[in-house]
Amino acid sequence: MFYRHPKPFPDGFLWGASTSSYQVEGAWNEDGKGMSVQDLHTPPAGITDFKVASDHYHHMEEDVALMAELGLKAYRFSISWSRVMPEGDGAVNEAGLAFYDRLVDALVAHDITPVATMFHFDLPLALHERGGWANRATVDAFERYALVLFERLGDRIKMWLTINEQNVMVIHPNAMNPGRLPEAPELYQQSHNMFVASAKATLMLHEMWPDAKIGPAPNITAIYPQSCDPADVVAADNWESIRCWNYLDVACFGRYNPIAWAYMEEKGCTPVFEEGDAELLAAAKPDYLGVNYYATATVAAPKNDGTDRAARAGDQQVMLGEEGVYRSGANDHLTATEYGWIIDPIGMRTTLRRVASRYGLPILITENGLGARDTLEADGRVHDPYRIDYLRRHFEQAQLAISDGVNLIGYCPWSFMDLVSTHQGYGKRYGFVYIDRDEEDIRSMARIRKDSFAWYKHVIETNGAEL
Ligand code: BG6
């Protein structure tokens, strides 16, 4: 649809930015924090681990002051479960909880809406060693963790996200399961237990804080068929249902997506429901949807000849394609980042339209951004016109999605500051704020505003009228 006058971004639009605890905090073993699965991460030579990260734990006040200078209306961060409960269950670590107390106070003092993710890839190691999310006891532990968070922070945090990218943890489980890669039946049981945990937290929050809002934060993207060959169209539908809709269908409709369920039956990986699960899933209703959007995917019908599964271009650690379901296709209309991630701003509009049409809920973009090898120039500046261009083109499409009728309430680019990428270290930077460190040398840790910082500040000041 073409609009002569696209609708403006609405008043109160939550211009924000995102991070996650293990990727920015550092202080991996300080003040009583327990270990998480990410602390076991052993990166390849030349790539940093998560022990120091961006040292946000020790720079929190300075970082929040920079958020205020940028003019952020919202900050989406995650809470480290093992900082709050070192064993994942049982004793609460007061020092860890106090860190989030101070962070939330600082945000509120600057009129920045805190948007807290309860679990972002960093399962407490003690729970992992007892079977992780496949063990139903982890659901009970999450419920107790949720109670601690809501009691202590619920008076000030009114926007919660339960679980970050549950679908990615099923599709690319390597980083979340150190020491052992589970087979599909275990992964789908992990996922089911996460659905139940989210539902319990959703019901609990609504009971304790009726004025607060909560939702999931999966990674959602439109999937394109490589051609109009009907077999390619079915393959695209397969993958969109299994990769995306299943996660929002369970959260919003309280039942599994039928195509995804048929896939699980075919592969022998349907999860075991405990008594009451179906009712619980049906009862818990999210108030809004977090959507992490990076790139669309183009897929073709599988060949079923042993070649359907292959590494994603530019990233040998990410395998895509599955016999009988889909294979990765090519899309000549799109370019990619230096890391091989497809750049598709219009695809974001399509994704938002599809999510809005299916679920009719407010949407917060909880992640979207460009990973690049930024350099600190001799003049002490970081020039990142490519990031400005990337975000400008995505913001334009967000505005068109709003014009299409999508109830988009905010946009939190990934990431506020540079941080450690999930598996590609510190060289791959996403932030508006450059952190003076590299993979192996911790240098000064100084916070340096990139060119994109000044640009985004102006976007926020004009509420998106000047991109
Ligand atoms: C999302 C995750 O999948 O993508 C983030 O929620 C992650 O944790 C981001 O950092 C970018 O991915 P990567 O692999 O470049 O860090």
Side-chain angles (χ1 to χ4, degrees):
M1 210 117 61
F2 169 77
Y3 302 102
R4 270 170 300 155
H5 303 291
K7 287 188 186 141
F9 288 93
D11 288 345
F13 191 73
L14 293 173
W15 296 102
S18 280
T19 62
S20 91
S21 51
Y22 79 96
Q23 293 175 276
V24 291
E25 285 177 5
W28 70 289
N29 61 354
E30 287 183 43
D31 292 343
K33 176 181 170 295
M35 283 177 74
S36 86
V37 292
Q38 299 299 343
D39 295 319
L40 281 196
H41 185 64
T42 42
I47 299 279
T48 187
D49 58 24
F50 298 104
K51 292 191 166 63
V52 177
S54 306
D55 203 24
H56 172 63
Y57 190 76
H58 296 114
H59 289 255
M60 186 270 284
E61 282 82 6
E62 180 186 353
D63 292 339
V64 174
L66 277 168
M67 291 174 204
E69 182 184 325
L70 181 55
L72 289 191
K73 307 293 181 205
Y75 173 50
R76 183 232 178 189
F77 60 98
S78 79
I79 295 174
S80 159
W81 187 345
S82 64
R83 198 179 286 291
V84 171
M85 296 171 104
E87 298 293 309
D89 204 357
V92 171
N93 175 35
E94 173 52 33
L97 201 47
F99 170 73
Y100 296 107
D101 230 351
R102 292 197 306 277
L103 169 63
V104 172
D105 278 347
L107 292 170
V108 171
H110 286 101
D111 276 337
I112 300 170
T113 300
V115 181
T117 311
M118 301 168 73
F119 170 58
H120 189 128
F121 297 167
D122 53 352
L123 188 69
L125 188 59
L127 296 181
H128 172 72
E129 285 169 344
R130 291 199 292 274
W133 280 109
N135 181 352
R136 186 72 183 208
T138 298
V139 176
D140 302 332
F142 187 80
E143 206 177 350
R144 287 187 276 272
Y145 166 58
L147 182 62
V148 170
L149 298 187
F150 298 160
E151 276 181 342
R152 180 67 170 261
L153 305 169
D155 58 335
R156 286 153 293 155
I157 301 182
K158 298 299 174 190
M159 292 188 74
W160 294 88
L161 295 158
T162 52
I163 295 183
N164 181 71
E165 293 196 350
Q166 184 178 324
N167 54 340
V168 170
M169 289 189 274
V170 175
I171 305 161
H172 306 302
N174 315 48
M176 269 58 79
N177 294 277
R180 189 178 65 87
L181 201 54
E183 299 290 333
E186 187 177 336
L187 286 171
Y188 278 94
Q189 190 63 52
Q190 288 183 3
S191 178
H192 178 75
N193 291 347
M194 286 188 236
F195 282 135
V196 174
S198 287
K200 288 189 172 202
T202 301
L203 292 169
M204 187 193 298
L205 184 75
H206 286 155
E207 177 73 27
M208 289 175 71
W209 297 101
D211 59 335
K213 300 193 183 321
I214 188 164
N219 181 307
I220 300 295
T221 180
I223 310 285
Y224 303 142
Q226 184 171 264
S227 76
C228 53
D229 177 344
D232 287 348
V233 175
V234 171
D237 202 30
N238 284 342
W239 189 227
E240 202 170 60
S241 303
I242 296 163
R243 185 198 182 284
C244 301
W245 303 142
N246 190 43
Y247 297 86
L248 289 175
D249 282 7
V250 176
C252 299
F253 303 148
R255 51 119 180 105
Y256 277 76
N257 175 279
I259 296 162
W261 188 262
Y263 162 84
M264 287 184 261
E265 281 182 332
E266 177 65 20
K267 302 283 173 180
C269 57
T270 48
V272 176
F273 276 53
E274 281 201 359
E275 206 185 320
D277 282 1
E279 293 73 19
L280 201 60
L281 296 178
K285 298 287 181 206
D287 305 290
Y288 71 108
L289 302 175
V291 168
N292 291 1
Y293 172 83
Y294 287 90
T296 49
T298 301
V299 310
K303 290 188 177 167
N304 302 319
D305 62 357
T307 65
D308 289 326
R309 194 154 180 75
R312 180 170 70 189
D315 192 348
Q316 293 300 314
Q317 290 189 52
V318 177
M319 300 297 290
L320 292 171
E322 187 169 358
E323 298 254 323
V325 184
Y326 79 103
R327 65 185 281 130
S328 258
N331 192 326
D332 298 340
H333 302 282
L334 302 173
T335 56
T337 72
E338 60 185 303
Y339 288 91
W341 288 36
I342 296 293
I343 301 175
D344 186 2
I346 296 177
M348 189 181 76
R349 178 183 181 186
T350 306
T351 302
L352 293 172
R353 288 159 59 120
R354 289 183 184 179
V355 173
S357 298
R358 288 180 69 93
Y359 306 106
L361 284 174
I363 300 171
L364 175 68
I365 295 173
T366 35
E367 286 184 33
N368 167 246
L370 177 72
R373 294 183 191 282
D374 302 329
T375 46
L376 182 58
E377 304 292 343
D379 63 358
R381 306 272 299 277
V382 179
H383 305 298
D384 56 347
Y386 37 84
R387 180 167 294 106
I388 293 172
D389 177 64
Y390 177 98
L391 287 172
R392 176 185 288 125
R393 289 161 63 205
H394 283 79
F395 289 172
E396 284 166 0
Q397 294 301 320
Q399 188 175 357
L400 289 174
I402 290 169
S403 305
D404 292 332
V406 173
N407 184 5
L408 187 67
I409 58 172
Y411 199 130
C412 297
W414 185 263
S415 51
F416 170 66
M417 64 184 110
D418 289 342
L419 41 70
V420 190
S421 142
T422 56
H423 65 281
Q424 288 164 313
Y426 220 90
K428 189 184 192 185
R429 295 172 183 266
Y430 283 91
F432 294 108
V433 176
Y434 183 91
I435 308 293
D436 182 31
R437 63 157 289 182
D438 63 19
E439 297 290 358
E440 304 192 335
D441 185 352
I442 297 306
R443 300 208 293 251
S444 73
M445 281 287 179
R447 277 54 185 148
I448 296 161
R449 298 159 189 80
K450 300 183 190 175
D451 288 357
S452 56
F453 184 100
W455 171 79
Y456 191 34
K457 183 175 162 63
H458 185 70
V459 169
I460 298 173
E461 278 165 0
T462 62
N463 197 33
E466 291 174 23
L467 299 176

